[in-house]
Amino acid sequence: MKKLFVILAIVLICIGMPLFAGGSGEKTSGGNRIAVMYGVGGLGDQSFNDNINNAIIAAQETLDFEYDYVEPTAVSEFETFLREFALSGDYTLIISAGSDSADALNKVAGEFPEQYFVLLDSASAQDNVISVTFKDNESTFLAGYVAALSSETGCIGVIGAMDIDVINGFIAGWEAGARYADPDIEILRMYCGGFQDPVTAKEMALQMYARGADIIMGAAGGSGLGIFQAAEETGNYAVGVDSNQNPLKPATIMMSAVRNFKPVIYSILSDSFDGNVETGLRNVGIAEGAVECTFDGSEVQVDQSIKDALVTIEGEVREGKISVPSAL
Amino acid sequence: MADTILSMLGSTLRISLPIILCALGGMFSERCGILNIGMEGIMLLGALFGAIGSYVSGNAYVGLLFAIVLGAVIGLMHAFLTIKCHTNQIIDGVAINLLGDGLSILLLDLVWGNKGKSTEVAGFATLDSIIHDIPVISDLFGSLNILFLMMIILVIASYFYVFRTPWGLRLRVIGDKPEAADSMGINVERSQMLYVMVGAILAAIAGAALSIGSIRYFSKGMVAGRGYMALAALVFGMWHPILIFLSGLFFGFIQALQINLQVYDFPVQFIQMIPYVITIVMLVLTSKNNKGPKNTGKPYIRGIRE
């Protein structure tokens, strides 16, 4: 009896699995179709992945295409998903979101030279890959500049997720901007060890505030929420990144250093659908409207004189008069 | 300097609270002979249900109640499968961790329509309002909340229960020699089911301490390995409530130290490694004379001899 039950269960699971797993929908011929593989943070991060998703949905209003996506839960799954997408041959573009997918993408792109890929947040040397990198250091430079001028204690902080190039790009801009405004500013820097550990990030922020910092930027994905909480509890300020996080805690989040995926994604998609795929690296920043430092939605008072100075600095960065370091 | 040390000690208490609570839960489970490495998953779901309860009612205590009920349900499930069905306890624990990962995202999406994080929910008030005027004490304990007091009471109560009451004696006998307990007329399976549930409830409360007790959000994967750290604290604490408390404090202190060391210009990877290296070193040093309950990991089946 027990055995029968076990066999029955196994059979049911075997039948059920493909039913639940295979949600890719029916094929339609003719139209354009793209596939997106998101980073392990997945949708709902209100940051990197959500921004890309929103940009694609926005592009769907004017462009006619279908859109499939997967949310891998581990780096080890990247290669399989990319190869599955490429093997199907259904897609005009296969978009891979996040620098940690670069290795998998390079490998799969080499296997399918006829398939076009897009790599967001990292550069690829493959001929069939459009890679996009953001000059986040330009937006965090502006945020660091404002923070240093607004700080009352002469001490600001930054909490990164990990000691890796992409994160350090954010931090390098922040520190350079702060020093540009005030060469004597003290800057605390910590790494919380992951993108999904807001509790540790909060603890780090509390320690920084206790050490005299009064404005902290998070470059830590989902962990950044902990920083905002610490700032609110201690009556200090925080700075958001990636998307405009000001509305989350308007009285606490002073500004956000944001990426605008919409113009970038739109131009890549519309060019590709028109048949003009331009592979190679696109390194986009303030000049392309791809990054900015925004106060929208924040209720924190920033001196008008600082905002005026910011406009000047922003212009100089745009024109290349100030060159912002991209690495620590 | 004194301020830095005080804030670091405060940080130690905050970090160690969930680890101690969870390790204490693990103690009840392992003391009666049932391993539960699903602590990580139970903490995650406890954090989620704490947030859900607090979200629907606007009251953190209701959140705590939700977490307790969730812990009881998962505990009952683990107990039923391992004690009644004799499934492998390790595999079942892993299954709970996987379940926690998937189910938490599913429910997050159902309740808040977002797969990454919840909205802000009501959290426990800090003790700061009560002890604000006492200088050193308020620095140390001010940012803690009622869960910290609860943890202290639970640690002391557990100590007396396990080592000073007849029920505690029976609990220890079940973990060491279930057939002896059985011959004394103790209902082994029923006791085990009860203690596994108690253990899971404590782990779920530990999870709630992260969401409604700390950042007032639930965010995906927010437990970040604390459940496993609690298992290390349990072994390091030799399945003894007071020693678990101390080893949890020690882990918290190492973590707080790690955070504060980052201010200085060491390679950060090296600093982040410290807690884990120390954990391994301490486990190696202590494990030689450190024996847990003798019969953990094996289902007790009446009448079967080794």
Side-chain angles (χ1 to χ4, degrees), chain B residues 200-276:
Chain B
I201 287 172
L202 288 176
I205 296 175
L210 295 175
S211 59
I212 51 179
S214 175
I215 60 166
R216 302 185 180 193
Y217 283 102
F218 175 82
S219 75
K220 178 168 69 177
M222 67 185 288
V223 175
R226 287 174 180 81
Y228 299 117
M229 201 164 257
L231 287 176
L234 169 64
V235 177
F236 187 32
M238 298 193 250
W239 294 267
H240 185 297
I242 306 293
L243 297 179
I244 285 171
F245 174 72
L246 294 176
S247 68
L249 279 185
F250 178 72
F251 282 158
F253 175 74
I254 298 291
Q255 194 71 26
L257 187 70
Q258 183 261 114
I259 289 173
N260 281 277
L261 279 180
Q262 286 203 20
V263 171
Y264 306 102
D265 225 0
F266 291 124
V268 65
Q269 290 83 357
F270 180 75
I271 298 171
Q272 285 176 335
M273 206 170 70
I274 294 174
Y276 304 100

Side-chain angles (χ1 to χ4, degrees), chain B residues 95-175:
Chain B
I96 292 176
N97 289 335
L98 294 173
L99 177 77
D101 270 350
L103 189 62
S104 62
I105 296 172
L106 178 70
L107 291 176
L108 196 55
D109 198 20
L110 285 177
V111 177
W112 285 282
N114 183 313
K115 290 188 215 164
K117 71 172 191 67
S118 71
T119 52
E120 188 166 359
V121 298
F124 289 107
T126 57
L127 301 175
D128 195 49
S129 48
I130 306 165
I131 55 173
H132 186 70
D133 298 328
I134 320 169
V136 176
I137 302 289
S138 72
D139 287 336
L140 268 180
F141 301 101
S143 57
L144 293 158
N145 52 44
I146 189 85
L147 291 175
F148 182 75
L149 298 178
M150 200 176 118
M151 182 269 284
I152 299 284
I153 294 169
L154 279 170
V155 166
I156 296 170
S158 303
Y159 169 73
F160 280 100
Y161 183 87
V162 174
F163 292 105
R164 293 279 184 274
T165 67
W167 306 292
L169 180 64
R170 284 173 204 156
L171 164 63
R172 284 180 286 146
V173 173
I174 292 171

Side-chain angles (χ1 to χ4, degrees), chain A residues 51-313:
Chain A
N51 287 346
I52 297 168
N53 186 40
N54 292 338
I56 292 172
I57 290 169
Q60 259 179 331
E61 284 171 14
T62 44
L63 298 172
D64 180 32
F65 65 95
E66 286 187 60
Y67 159 42
D68 294 328
Y69 67 83
V70 287
E71 299 172 77
T73 53
V75 175
S76 54
E77 296 170 12
F78 287 162
E79 204 179 307
T80 317
F81 278 124
L82 288 174
R83 191 171 289 119
E84 289 288 321
F85 279 141
L87 270 174
S88 75
D90 292 340
Y91 301 103
T92 317
L93 287 175
I94 297 171
I95 300 177
S96 179
S99 57
D100 49 3
S101 66
D103 288 341
L105 181 110
N106 280 326
K107 191 165 176 207
V108 176
E111 291 169 21
F112 297 88
E114 303 296 311
Q115 170 74 54
Y116 287 115
F117 294 88
V118 180
L119 176 59
L120 298 175
D121 223 12
S122 183
S124 167
Q126 299 284 347
D127 292 336
N128 53 338
V129 179
I130 305 168
S131 30
V132 181
T133 53
F134 289 84
K135 296 178 188 167
D136 301 300
N137 52 333
E138 293 187 349
S139 56
T140 58
F141 181 89
L142 302 179
Y145 179 83
V146 173
L149 291 181
S150 308
S151 171
E152 285 169 12
T153 57
C155 176
I156 60 173
V158 56
I159 297 175
M162 288 182 231
D163 187 4
I164 53 176
D165 288 350
V166 176
I167 295 297
N168 285 338
F170 282 87
I171 297 176
W174 169 261
E175 296 192 350
R179 296 225 162 83
Y180 189 84
D182 175 4
D184 299 325
I185 189 98
E186 188 185 349
I187 306 171
L188 305 175
R189 183 205 307 160
M190 294 183 185
Y191 296 93
C192 66
F195 291 88
Q196 291 182 11
D197 193 354
V199 181
T200 299
K202 180 187 174 188
E203 207 53 60
M204 291 190 156
L206 287 174
Q207 296 299 307
M208 283 188 176
Y209 289 132
R211 283 172 177 270
D214 58 354
I215 304 171
I216 299 178
M217 182 181 79
S223 303
L225 297 169
I227 302 170
F228 304 152
Q229 197 65 37
E232 189 179 58
E233 278 177 26
T234 57
N236 287 295
Y237 298 113
V239 178
V241 289
D242 275 349
S243 54
N244 186 353
Q245 296 179 304
N246 302 350
L248 285 176
K249 288 192 190 293
T252 299
I253 305 175
M254 183 181 261
M255 60 198 151
S256 289
V258 303
R259 287 177 175 187
N260 296 324
F261 280 94
K262 282 179 189 168
V264 182
I265 297 271
Y266 186 86
S267 78
I268 290 176
L269 293 184
S270 70
D271 287 356
S272 304
F273 297 158
D274 292 344
N276 311 319
V277 181
E278 259 186 71
T279 58
L281 175 65
R282 304 182 185 192
N283 188 15
V284 293
I286 286 182
E288 291 82 7
V291 303
E292 65 172 330
C293 173
T294 178
F295 300 97
D296 285 352
S298 170
E299 289 160 13
V300 180
Q301 295 299 319
V302 176
D303 283 351
Q304 194 55 45
S305 61
I306 298 178
K307 285 187 178 174
D308 293 342
L310 182 68
V311 175
T312 317
I313 299 289

